[in-house]
Amino acid sequence: MDVETTHLMDTLLFTLGVIKHAGDSDRRRLADAYAEAQATVAAIALESGSARPRIVACFARFNMYKDTDHILAAAWMLTAIQQRIGERNLDGWPALKVIADQAASLILPDRKAMH
């Protein structure tokens, strides 16, 4: 794995841990934040096939929450990672997608994971 893939895997596994350990009320907040993140990225056009503008928007929101609300930060980080994986030009992206989809399914267990 290259450096970017390794870093994304580490970040994704940390984010998955935050999601897995969320209690019921945090899980509801997480689902709301994730839905907001998904709607936000859907409204941002790709730039010559690159999800970079979407990822930058996610990181801006992640940075707002990272020190104060780890649940909301996790939703935005997961969405950013999903956007990067969706470009399908990352070494090992299929393995990352499986884990990202599992994380999303924990947030939205009764719905198909969004990507």
Side-chain angles (χ1 to χ4, degrees):
M1 272 193 259
D2 66 12
V3 173
E4 182 184 11
T5 302
T6 300
H7 179 68
L8 281 175
M9 180 66 81
D10 291 345
T11 304
L12 182 55
L13 291 174
F14 180 83
T15 303
L16 178 60
V18 170
I19 294 166
K20 284 180 71 171
H21 293 100
D24 290 339
S25 68
D26 278 342
R27 189 95 29 144
R28 283 187 292 280
R29 293 176 56 240
L30 184 56
D32 290 343
Y34 183 72
E36 181 183 356
Q38 293 293 311
T40 298
V41 298
I44 300 171
L46 295 174
E47 187 175 276
S48 300
S50 170
R52 183 166 175 73
R54 294 173 174 182
I55 295 166
V56 168
C58 287
F59 276 123
R61 292 295 292 274
F62 168 81
N63 285 329
M64 284 176 43
Y65 297 121
K66 71 178 179 178
D67 294 327
T68 59
D69 196 330
H70 65 282
I71 293 300
L72 298 180
W76 288 93
M77 180 55 69
L78 176 59
T79 301
I81 292 170
Q82 287 176 310
Q83 290 300 306
R84 179 63 183 100
I85 293 167
E87 292 179 320
R88 297 182 178 194
N89 62 0
L90 181 66
D91 183 36
W93 72 265
L96 290 169
K97 185 177 183 324
V98 169
I99 297 168
D101 287 350
Q102 289 173 345
S105 73
L106 291 173
I107 296 171
L108 306 169
D110 57 341
R111 297 185 222 161
K112 182 181 174 194
M114 301 168 81
H115 359 192

